Amino acid sequence: MADMSAWEVLGVPKEVQRGLSEQSFTTPTPIQTLSLPPAIFHHRDIIGAAETGSGKTLAFEIPILTHILGHKSSQEASKTTKNTTKNNATEATGTGNGTSKLKKPLLGLIMTPTREFALQLKNHLKQAAKHSSLKNPQNRPYGKGKNLHNHFTQYIKLGLSS
Protein backbone atom coordinates (compact mmCIF):
# COMPACT_ATOMS: atom_id res chain seq x y z
CA MET A 1 0.00 0.00 0.00
CA ALA A 2 1.23 3.51 -0.80
CA ASP A 3 2.07 6.06 1.88
CA MET A 4 -1.33 7.11 3.23
CA SER A 5 -0.11 9.18 6.18
CA ALA A 6 -1.70 12.33 4.74
CA TRP A 7 -5.11 10.64 5.06
CA GLU A 8 -4.36 9.23 8.49
CA VAL A 9 -3.82 12.64 10.11
CA LEU A 10 -7.22 13.69 8.73
CA GLY A 11 -8.93 10.88 10.69
CA VAL A 12 -9.60 8.50 7.80
CA PRO A 13 -9.89 4.89 9.06
CA LYS A 14 -7.24 2.41 7.86
CA GLU A 15 -9.76 0.22 6.03
CA VAL A 16 -10.99 3.25 4.07
CA GLN A 17 -7.39 4.26 3.38
CA ARG A 18 -6.83 0.87 1.74
CA GLY A 19 -9.81 1.44 -0.56
CA LEU A 20 -8.54 4.92 -1.42
CA SER A 21 -5.04 3.57 -2.09
CA GLU A 22 -6.39 1.00 -4.54
CA GLN A 23 -8.09 3.82 -6.43
CA SER A 24 -4.78 5.78 -6.48
CA PHE A 25 -6.06 8.46 -4.09
CA THR A 26 -2.84 8.67 -2.09
CA THR A 27 -2.94 12.38 -1.28
CA PRO A 28 -6.02 14.38 -0.24
CA THR A 29 -7.05 17.36 -2.31
CA PRO A 30 -7.31 20.85 -0.77
CA ILE A 31 -11.08 20.60 -0.18
CA GLN A 32 -10.60 17.20 1.50
CA THR A 33 -7.78 18.52 3.68
CA LEU A 34 -9.97 21.42 4.83
CA SER A 35 -13.25 19.55 5.29
CA LEU A 36 -12.34 16.12 6.69
CA PRO A 37 -10.97 17.09 10.13
CA PRO A 38 -14.00 19.16 11.25
CA ALA A 39 -16.40 16.58 9.80
CA ILE A 40 -14.65 13.52 11.27
CA PHE A 41 -13.21 14.79 14.57
CA HIS A 42 -15.86 17.35 15.48
CA HIS A 43 -18.95 15.94 13.69
CA ARG A 44 -19.50 19.26 11.93
CA ASP A 45 -21.63 19.82 8.86
CA ILE A 46 -19.58 21.12 5.94
CA ILE A 47 -20.55 23.29 3.01
CA GLY A 48 -17.94 23.41 0.29
CA ALA A 49 -17.62 24.70 -3.24
CA ALA A 50 -14.90 23.59 -5.62
CA GLU A 51 -14.32 22.77 -9.25
CA THR A 52 -15.32 19.52 -10.90
CA GLY A 53 -12.71 16.84 -10.21
CA SER A 54 -11.52 18.51 -6.99
CA GLY A 55 -12.53 15.66 -4.67
CA LYS A 56 -15.81 17.02 -3.28
CA THR A 57 -17.49 13.60 -3.45
CA LEU A 58 -14.90 11.91 -1.24
CA ALA A 59 -14.90 14.99 1.00
CA PHE A 60 -18.45 14.17 2.10
CA GLU A 61 -18.42 10.38 1.64
CA ILE A 62 -15.39 9.71 3.87
CA PRO A 63 -16.95 11.31 6.99
CA ILE A 64 -20.15 9.33 6.39
CA LEU A 65 -18.18 6.07 6.14
CA THR A 66 -16.15 7.01 9.22
CA HIS A 67 -19.32 7.71 11.19
CA ILE A 68 -20.94 4.43 10.11
CA LEU A 69 -17.82 2.42 10.92
CA GLY A 70 -17.59 4.09 14.32
CA HIS A 71 -21.25 3.41 15.03
CA LYS A 72 -20.90 -0.21 13.98
CA SER A 73 -17.80 -0.81 16.12
CA SER A 74 -19.41 0.85 19.16
CA GLN A 75 -22.50 -1.34 18.70
CA GLU A 76 -20.33 -4.46 18.49
CA ALA A 77 -18.44 -3.41 21.62
CA SER A 78 -21.73 -2.73 23.39
CA LYS A 79 -23.07 -6.16 22.45
CA THR A 80 -19.91 -7.79 23.73
CA THR A 81 -19.81 -5.96 27.06
CA LYS A 82 -23.53 -5.78 27.78
CA ASN A 83 -24.56 -9.05 26.12
CA THR A 84 -27.38 -7.25 24.34
CA THR A 85 -29.91 -9.42 22.60
CA LYS A 86 -31.72 -6.92 20.41
CA ASN A 87 -31.07 -3.53 18.92
CA ASN A 88 -33.80 -0.97 19.64
CA ALA A 89 -33.72 0.66 16.27
CA THR A 90 -34.75 4.05 15.05
CA GLU A 91 -35.18 3.90 11.28
CA ALA A 92 -38.73 3.96 10.05
CA THR A 93 -39.69 1.79 7.15
CA GLY A 94 -43.03 2.66 5.69
CA THR A 95 -45.64 -0.03 5.36
CA GLY A 96 -47.61 1.90 2.77
CA ASN A 97 -50.54 2.72 5.04
CA GLY A 98 -48.99 5.55 7.05
CA THR A 99 -47.70 3.33 9.83
CA SER A 100 -44.05 2.74 10.60
CA LYS A 101 -42.12 -0.22 11.85
CA LEU A 102 -38.88 0.45 13.73
CA LYS A 103 -35.83 -1.27 12.30
CA LYS A 104 -32.26 0.02 11.92
CA PRO A 105 -30.91 3.52 12.58
CA LEU A 106 -30.50 5.90 9.69
CA LEU A 107 -26.76 6.63 9.75
CA GLY A 108 -26.41 8.66 6.58
CA LEU A 109 -28.57 10.29 3.96
CA ILE A 110 -27.30 11.54 0.62
CA MET A 111 -29.77 13.30 -1.66
CA THR A 112 -28.84 13.71 -5.30
CA PRO A 113 -30.53 15.43 -8.23
CA THR A 114 -30.44 12.31 -10.44
CA ARG A 115 -30.63 8.55 -10.06
CA GLU A 116 -27.44 8.19 -12.11
CA PHE A 117 -25.50 10.37 -9.69
CA ALA A 118 -26.92 8.35 -6.75
CA LEU A 119 -25.66 5.13 -8.34
CA GLN A 120 -22.26 6.72 -9.04
CA LEU A 121 -22.01 7.72 -5.37
CA LYS A 122 -22.95 4.22 -4.27
CA ASN A 123 -20.12 2.81 -6.39
CA HIS A 124 -17.65 5.29 -4.88
CA LEU A 125 -18.80 4.31 -1.38
CA LYS A 126 -18.46 0.60 -2.17
CA GLN A 127 -14.91 1.11 -3.43
CA ALA A 128 -13.87 3.21 -0.43
CA ALA A 129 -15.48 0.75 2.02
CA LYS A 130 -14.22 -2.34 0.19
CA HIS A 131 -11.88 -3.43 3.01
CA SER A 132 -14.24 -2.58 5.85
CA SER A 133 -17.04 -4.58 7.42
CA LEU A 134 -19.51 -2.55 5.32
CA LYS A 135 -19.86 -4.81 2.32
CA ASN A 136 -23.18 -3.69 0.86
CA PRO A 137 -24.15 -0.04 1.33
CA GLN A 138 -27.90 0.33 1.07
CA ASN A 139 -29.20 2.78 -1.42
CA ARG A 140 -32.73 3.47 -2.37
CA PRO A 141 -32.65 5.96 -5.21
CA TYR A 142 -36.05 7.36 -6.14
CA GLY A 143 -36.86 8.21 -9.71
CA LYS A 144 -39.58 10.19 -11.41
CA GLY A 145 -43.08 9.47 -10.21
CA LYS A 146 -42.04 8.41 -6.70
CA ASN A 147 -43.75 10.19 -3.86
CA LEU A 148 -40.82 11.64 -1.95
CA HIS A 149 -43.06 13.86 0.17
CA ASN A 150 -44.76 10.89 1.85
CA HIS A 151 -41.46 9.05 2.28
CA PHE A 152 -39.62 11.94 3.97
CA THR A 153 -42.68 13.00 5.97
CA GLN A 154 -42.47 9.61 7.75
CA TYR A 155 -38.85 10.33 8.74
CA ILE A 156 -39.69 13.86 9.87
CA LYS A 157 -42.64 12.69 11.97
CA LEU A 158 -40.54 9.96 13.55
CA GLY A 159 -37.76 12.44 14.35
CA LEU A 160 -40.15 14.95 15.89
CA SER A 161 -41.97 12.40 18.03
CA SER A 162 -38.86 10.85 19.57
Side-chain angles (χ1 to χ4, degrees):
M1 184 164 89
D3 177 23
M4 300 298 283
S5 58
W7 291 103
E8 190 167 348
V9 298
L10 300 177
V12 179
K14 292 241 184 256
E15 56 263 51
V16 175
Q17 290 178 38
R18 278 185 69 194
L20 295 173
S21 176
E22 287 181 1
Q23 297 176 75
S24 300
F25 297 125
T26 56
T27 307
T29 65
I31 193 161
Q32 293 161 351
T33 302
L34 291 171
S35 64
L36 291 177
I40 292 173
F41 295 126
H42 305 291
H43 308 284
R44 304 291 298 219
D45 292 335
I46 305 296
I47 297 175
E51 295 178 13
T52 300
S54 62
K56 293 183 300 289
T57 301
L58 282 176
F60 74 81
E61 287 182 335
I62 290 171
I64 291 171
L65 285 174
T66 303
H67 170 71
I68 292 170
L69 288 168
H71 178 79
K72 188 169 183 170
S73 65
S74 69
Q75 270 195 332
E76 289 168 358
S78 172
K79 284 181 185 179
T80 305
T81 58
K82 294 180 183 177
N83 197 14
T84 331
T85 55
K86 279 194 173 185
N87 178 5
N88 293 333
T90 56
E91 179 185 2
T93 54
T95 58
N97 60 5
T99 62
S100 294
K101 180 180 176 183
L102 293 179
K103 248 188 165 179
K104 296 178 182 176
L106 177 63
L107 299 175
L109 175 65
I110 301 171
M111 297 178 70
T112 64
T114 65
R115 180 181 179 90
E116 291 76 19
F117 188 42
L119 294 173
Q120 178 186 348
L121 293 178
K122 178 186 176 185
N123 291 334
H124 279 240
L125 284 167
K126 282 178 82 168
Q127 285 295 102
K130 183 177 176 179
H131 298 286
S132 74
S133 56
L134 307 175
K135 298 298 181 204
N136 189 17
Q138 295 291 315
N139 77 325
R140 295 181 182 103
Y142 286 82
K144 286 184 178 177
K146 302 291 182 183
N147 191 339
L148 289 176
H149 174 74
N150 287 345
H151 178 73
F152 288 113
T153 300
Q154 288 179 354
Y155 284 106
I156 292 168
K157 285 180 183 175
L158 179 67
L160 292 176
S161 65
S162 53

Short mmCIF file of all heavy atoms in Angstrom, two decimals, residues 63-107:
data_model
loop_
_atom_site.label_atom_id
_atom_site.label_comp_id
_atom_site.label_asym_id
_atom_site.label_seq_id
_atom_site.Cartn_x
_atom_site.Cartn_y
_atom_site.Cartn_z
N PRO A 63 -16.39 11.15 5.63
CA PRO A 63 -16.95 11.31 6.99
C PRO A 63 -18.17 10.43 7.24
O PRO A 63 -18.36 9.93 8.36
CB PRO A 63 -17.32 12.79 7.05
CG PRO A 63 -16.41 13.45 6.07
CD PRO A 63 -16.26 12.44 4.96
N ILE A 64 -18.98 10.21 6.22
CA ILE A 64 -20.15 9.33 6.39
C ILE A 64 -19.67 7.91 6.69
O ILE A 64 -20.16 7.27 7.62
CB ILE A 64 -21.06 9.37 5.14
CG1 ILE A 64 -21.74 10.73 5.03
CG2 ILE A 64 -22.09 8.25 5.18
CD1 ILE A 64 -22.48 10.95 3.73
N LEU A 65 -18.72 7.42 5.90
CA LEU A 65 -18.18 6.07 6.14
C LEU A 65 -17.55 5.97 7.53
O LEU A 65 -17.74 4.99 8.25
CB LEU A 65 -17.13 5.72 5.09
CG LEU A 65 -17.64 5.36 3.70
CD1 LEU A 65 -16.48 5.17 2.73
CD2 LEU A 65 -18.49 4.11 3.76
N THR A 66 -16.80 7.00 7.91
CA THR A 66 -16.15 7.01 9.22
C THR A 66 -17.18 6.94 10.33
O THR A 66 -17.03 6.18 11.30
CB THR A 66 -15.27 8.27 9.36
OG1 THR A 66 -14.33 8.29 8.29
CG2 THR A 66 -14.54 8.29 10.68
N HIS A 67 -18.25 7.71 10.20
CA HIS A 67 -19.32 7.71 11.19
C HIS A 67 -19.99 6.33 11.28
O HIS A 67 -20.22 5.80 12.37
CB HIS A 67 -20.36 8.78 10.84
CG HIS A 67 -21.60 8.72 11.64
ND1 HIS A 67 -21.65 9.07 12.97
CD2 HIS A 67 -22.85 8.33 11.31
CE1 HIS A 67 -22.89 8.90 13.42
NE2 HIS A 67 -23.63 8.46 12.43
N ILE A 68 -20.28 5.74 10.13
CA ILE A 68 -20.94 4.43 10.11
C ILE A 68 -20.04 3.36 10.71
O ILE A 68 -20.48 2.53 11.51
CB ILE A 68 -21.38 4.07 8.67
CG1 ILE A 68 -22.50 5.01 8.22
CG2 ILE A 68 -21.84 2.61 8.60
CD1 ILE A 68 -22.84 4.91 6.74
N LEU A 69 -18.77 3.39 10.35
CA LEU A 69 -17.82 2.42 10.92
C LEU A 69 -17.70 2.59 12.43
O LEU A 69 -17.65 1.61 13.18
CB LEU A 69 -16.45 2.55 10.26
CG LEU A 69 -16.36 2.05 8.82
CD1 LEU A 69 -15.06 2.51 8.17
CD2 LEU A 69 -16.50 0.54 8.76
N GLY A 70 -17.65 3.83 12.89
CA GLY A 70 -17.59 4.09 14.32
C GLY A 70 -18.83 3.62 15.04
O GLY A 70 -18.76 3.03 16.12
N HIS A 71 -19.99 3.85 14.44
CA HIS A 71 -21.25 3.41 15.03
C HIS A 71 -21.30 1.88 15.11
O HIS A 71 -21.67 1.32 16.13
CB HIS A 71 -22.43 3.92 14.20
CG HIS A 71 -23.76 3.47 14.70
ND1 HIS A 71 -24.37 4.05 15.78
CD2 HIS A 71 -24.57 2.48 14.29
CE1 HIS A 71 -25.52 3.43 16.01
NE2 HIS A 71 -25.66 2.48 15.11
N LYS A 72 -20.87 1.25 14.03
CA LYS A 72 -20.90 -0.21 13.98
C LYS A 72 -19.95 -0.81 15.02
O LYS A 72 -20.32 -1.75 15.73
CB LYS A 72 -20.53 -0.69 12.58
CG LYS A 72 -20.72 -2.17 12.40
CD LYS A 72 -20.60 -2.58 10.96
CE LYS A 72 -20.87 -4.05 10.87
NZ LYS A 72 -21.01 -4.52 9.54
N SER A 73 -18.75 -0.25 15.16
CA SER A 73 -17.80 -0.81 16.12
C SER A 73 -18.27 -0.55 17.55
O SER A 73 -18.08 -1.39 18.42
CB SER A 73 -16.40 -0.27 15.90
OG SER A 73 -16.34 1.10 16.15
N SER A 74 -18.91 0.60 17.81
CA SER A 74 -19.41 0.85 19.16
C SER A 74 -20.59 -0.07 19.48
O SER A 74 -20.75 -0.50 20.62
CB SER A 74 -19.80 2.31 19.35
OG SER A 74 -20.93 2.64 18.59
N GLN A 75 -21.40 -0.39 18.48
CA GLN A 75 -22.50 -1.34 18.70
C GLN A 75 -21.95 -2.73 19.00
O GLN A 75 -22.46 -3.42 19.88
CB GLN A 75 -23.41 -1.41 17.47
CG GLN A 75 -24.53 -0.43 17.51
CD GLN A 75 -25.59 -0.78 16.49
OE1 GLN A 75 -25.31 -1.37 15.44
NE2 GLN A 75 -26.82 -0.42 16.77
N GLU A 76 -20.92 -3.15 18.26
CA GLU A 76 -20.33 -4.46 18.49
C GLU A 76 -19.70 -4.53 19.87
O GLU A 76 -19.83 -5.53 20.58
CB GLU A 76 -19.30 -4.78 17.40
CG GLU A 76 -19.94 -5.05 16.05
CD GLU A 76 -18.95 -5.10 14.91
OE1 GLU A 76 -17.74 -4.88 15.14
OE2 GLU A 76 -19.39 -5.33 13.78
N ALA A 77 -19.04 -3.45 20.29
CA ALA A 77 -18.44 -3.41 21.62
C ALA A 77 -19.53 -3.45 22.69
O ALA A 77 -19.39 -4.12 23.71
CB ALA A 77 -17.59 -2.16 21.78
N SER A 78 -20.62 -2.75 22.44
CA SER A 78 -21.73 -2.73 23.39
C SER A 78 -22.35 -4.12 23.53
O SER A 78 -22.68 -4.55 24.62
CB SER A 78 -22.78 -1.72 22.92
OG SER A 78 -23.94 -1.80 23.70
N LYS A 79 -22.50 -4.80 22.41
CA LYS A 79 -23.07 -6.16 22.45
C LYS A 79 -22.15 -7.09 23.23
O LYS A 79 -22.62 -7.94 23.97
CB LYS A 79 -23.29 -6.69 21.04
CG LYS A 79 -24.47 -6.10 20.35
CD LYS A 79 -24.64 -6.68 18.96
CE LYS A 79 -25.78 -6.00 18.23
NZ LYS A 79 -25.95 -6.52 16.89
N THR A 80 -20.86 -6.93 23.04
CA THR A 80 -19.91 -7.79 23.73
C THR A 80 -19.92 -7.54 25.23
O THR A 80 -19.98 -8.48 26.03
CB THR A 80 -18.48 -7.55 23.19
OG1 THR A 80 -18.51 -7.75 21.78
CG2 THR A 80 -17.49 -8.51 23.82
N THR A 81 -19.90 -6.27 25.63
CA THR A 81 -19.81 -5.96 27.06
C THR A 81 -21.14 -6.08 27.79
O THR A 81 -21.19 -6.45 28.94
CB THR A 81 -19.24 -4.54 27.29
OG1 THR A 81 -20.08 -3.61 26.62
CG2 THR A 81 -17.82 -4.46 26.79
N LYS A 82 -22.23 -5.76 27.12
CA LYS A 82 -23.53 -5.78 27.78
C LYS A 82 -24.35 -7.04 27.47
O LYS A 82 -25.42 -7.22 28.01
CB LYS A 82 -24.35 -4.55 27.36
CG LYS A 82 -23.76 -3.25 27.84
CD LYS A 82 -24.62 -2.11 27.39
CE LYS A 82 -24.00 -0.78 27.80
NZ LYS A 82 -24.79 0.34 27.31
N ASN A 83 -23.86 -7.85 26.54
CA ASN A 83 -24.56 -9.05 26.12
C ASN A 83 -25.99 -8.72 25.67
O ASN A 83 -26.95 -9.34 26.08
CB ASN A 83 -24.56 -10.10 27.25
CG ASN A 83 -24.92 -11.47 26.72
OD1 ASN A 83 -24.91 -11.70 25.51
ND2 ASN A 83 -25.25 -12.38 27.62
N THR A 84 -26.08 -7.71 24.83
CA THR A 84 -27.38 -7.25 24.34
C THR A 84 -27.98 -8.29 23.40
O THR A 84 -27.28 -8.90 22.63
CB THR A 84 -27.23 -5.94 23.54
OG1 THR A 84 -26.11 -5.23 24.02
CG2 THR A 84 -28.45 -5.09 23.63
N THR A 85 -29.27 -8.45 23.47
CA THR A 85 -29.91 -9.42 22.60
C THR A 85 -30.57 -8.79 21.41
O THR A 85 -30.65 -9.41 20.36
CB THR A 85 -30.98 -10.22 23.38
OG1 THR A 85 -31.89 -9.31 23.97
CG2 THR A 85 -30.32 -11.09 24.43
N LYS A 86 -31.07 -7.56 21.54
CA LYS A 86 -31.72 -6.92 20.41
C LYS A 86 -31.33 -5.46 20.34
O LYS A 86 -31.04 -4.84 21.34
CB LYS A 86 -33.24 -7.02 20.53
CG LYS A 86 -33.80 -8.33 20.08
CD LYS A 86 -35.27 -8.22 19.91
CE LYS A 86 -35.81 -9.49 19.29
NZ LYS A 86 -37.21 -9.40 19.00
N ASN A 87 -31.37 -4.94 19.14
CA ASN A 87 -31.07 -3.53 18.92
C ASN A 87 -32.39 -2.78 18.84
O ASN A 87 -33.20 -3.06 17.98
CB ASN A 87 -30.28 -3.39 17.62
CG ASN A 87 -29.97 -1.95 17.28
OD1 ASN A 87 -30.27 -1.05 18.07
ND2 ASN A 87 -29.39 -1.72 16.13
N ASN A 88 -32.62 -1.84 19.74
CA ASN A 88 -33.80 -0.97 19.64
C ASN A 88 -33.49 0.05 18.57
O ASN A 88 -32.70 0.95 18.78
CB ASN A 88 -34.09 -0.28 20.97
CG ASN A 88 -34.52 -1.26 22.02
OD1 ASN A 88 -35.05 -2.31 21.68
ND2 ASN A 88 -34.27 -0.93 23.27
N ALA A 89 -34.11 -0.11 17.43
CA ALA A 89 -33.72 0.66 16.27
C ALA A 89 -34.55 1.92 16.12
O ALA A 89 -35.55 2.09 16.78
CB ALA A 89 -33.86 -0.21 15.03
N THR A 90 -34.10 2.76 15.20
CA THR A 90 -34.75 4.05 15.05
C THR A 90 -35.12 4.40 13.62
O THR A 90 -35.67 5.46 13.39
CB THR A 90 -33.84 5.16 15.59
OG1 THR A 90 -32.60 5.08 14.92
CG2 THR A 90 -33.64 5.03 17.08
N GLU A 91 -34.84 3.55 12.66
CA GLU A 91 -35.18 3.90 11.28
C GLU A 91 -36.60 3.44 10.99
O GLU A 91 -36.97 2.31 11.28
CB GLU A 91 -34.23 3.25 10.28
CG GLU A 91 -34.59 3.59 8.85
CD GLU A 91 -33.74 2.86 7.84
OE1 GLU A 91 -32.89 2.06 8.20
OE2 GLU A 91 -33.96 3.10 6.65
N ALA A 92 -37.38 4.31 10.41
CA ALA A 92 -38.73 3.96 10.05
C ALA A 92 -38.75 3.37 8.65
O ALA A 92 -38.10 3.89 7.75
CB ALA A 92 -39.63 5.18 10.09
N THR A 93 -39.46 2.31 8.49
CA THR A 93 -39.69 1.79 7.15
C THR A 93 -41.19 1.81 6.94
O THR A 93 -41.94 1.25 7.73
CB THR A 93 -39.17 0.34 6.98
OG1 THR A 93 -39.74 -0.47 8.00
CG2 THR A 93 -37.66 0.30 7.08
N GLY A 94 -41.61 2.50 5.93
CA GLY A 94 -43.03 2.66 5.69
C GLY A 94 -43.68 1.35 5.29
O GLY A 94 -43.10 0.54 4.59
N THR A 95 -44.91 1.16 5.74
CA THR A 95 -45.64 -0.03 5.36
C THR A 95 -46.65 0.28 4.28
O THR A 95 -47.40 -0.59 3.87
CB THR A 95 -46.36 -0.63 6.59
OG1 THR A 95 -47.24 0.36 7.12
CG2 THR A 95 -45.36 -1.07 7.64
N GLY A 96 -46.70 1.53 3.85
CA GLY A 96 -47.61 1.90 2.77
C GLY A 96 -48.93 2.43 3.26
O GLY A 96 -49.69 3.00 2.51
N ASN A 97 -49.25 2.25 4.53
CA ASN A 97 -50.54 2.72 5.04
C ASN A 97 -50.37 3.80 6.10
O ASN A 97 -51.25 4.02 6.91
CB ASN A 97 -51.35 1.54 5.58
CG ASN A 97 -50.63 0.84 6.71
OD1 ASN A 97 -49.57 1.29 7.15
ND2 ASN A 97 -51.21 -0.24 7.19
N GLY A 98 -49.21 4.47 6.10
CA GLY A 98 -48.99 5.55 7.05
C GLY A 98 -48.42 5.12 8.38
O GLY A 98 -48.13 5.92 9.22
N THR A 99 -48.29 3.82 8.57
CA THR A 99 -47.70 3.33 9.83
C THR A 99 -46.23 3.06 9.61
O THR A 99 -45.79 2.89 8.49
CB THR A 99 -48.40 2.05 10.32
OG1 THR A 99 -48.20 1.03 9.33
CG2 THR A 99 -49.88 2.29 10.54
N SER A 100 -45.48 2.99 10.69
CA SER A 100 -44.05 2.74 10.60
C SER A 100 -43.67 1.58 11.49
O SER A 100 -44.30 1.35 12.51
CB SER A 100 -43.26 3.97 11.05
OG SER A 100 -43.47 5.02 10.17
N LYS A 101 -42.67 0.87 11.06
CA LYS A 101 -42.12 -0.22 11.85
C LYS A 101 -40.67 0.13 12.13
O LYS A 101 -39.92 0.45 11.22
CB LYS A 101 -42.21 -1.53 11.06
CG LYS A 101 -41.67 -2.72 11.80
CD LYS A 101 -41.80 -3.96 10.93
CE LYS A 101 -41.15 -5.13 11.63
NZ LYS A 101 -41.18 -6.33 10.81
N LEU A 102 -40.26 0.10 13.39
CA LEU A 102 -38.88 0.45 13.73
C LEU A 102 -37.95 -0.67 13.32
O LEU A 102 -38.23 -1.83 13.54
CB LEU A 102 -38.76 0.72 15.23
CG LEU A 102 -39.50 1.95 15.72
CD1 LEU A 102 -39.33 2.09 17.22
CD2 LEU A 102 -39.03 3.19 15.01
N LYS A 103 -36.81 -0.29 12.75
CA LYS A 103 -35.83 -1.27 12.30
C LYS A 103 -34.43 -0.84 12.67
O LYS A 103 -34.05 -0.92 13.82
CB LYS A 103 -35.95 -1.49 10.80
CG LYS A 103 -36.45 -2.83 10.41
CD LYS A 103 -36.34 -3.01 8.93
CE LYS A 103 -36.51 -4.45 8.57
NZ LYS A 103 -36.44 -4.66 7.17
N LYS A 104 -33.65 -0.36 11.72
CA LYS A 104 -32.26 0.02 11.92
C LYS A 104 -32.13 1.55 11.92
O LYS A 104 -32.91 2.24 11.30
CB LYS A 104 -31.39 -0.55 10.80
CG LYS A 104 -31.37 -2.05 10.77
CD LYS A 104 -30.53 -2.52 9.61
CE LYS A 104 -30.52 -4.03 9.54
NZ LYS A 104 -29.77 -4.50 8.37
N PRO A 105 -31.09 2.06 12.58
CA PRO A 105 -30.91 3.52 12.58
C PRO A 105 -30.49 4.05 11.23
O PRO A 105 -29.76 3.37 10.50
CB PRO A 105 -29.82 3.74 13.63
CG PRO A 105 -29.09 2.45 13.69
CD PRO A 105 -30.08 1.38 13.37
N LEU A 106 -30.94 5.23 10.90
CA LEU A 106 -30.50 5.90 9.69
C LEU A 106 -29.18 6.59 10.01
O LEU A 106 -29.14 7.51 10.82
CB LEU A 106 -31.55 6.94 9.24
CG LEU A 106 -31.18 7.77 8.02
CD1 LEU A 106 -31.04 6.88 6.79
CD2 LEU A 106 -32.22 8.84 7.79
N LEU A 107 -28.10 6.13 9.42
CA LEU A 107 -26.76 6.63 9.75
C LEU A 107 -26.25 7.64 8.73
O LEU A 107 -25.28 8.35 9.01
CB LEU A 107 -25.78 5.47 9.87
CG LEU A 107 -26.11 4.47 10.98
CD1 LEU A 107 -25.15 3.29 10.94
CD2 LEU A 107 -26.10 5.14 12.33
#
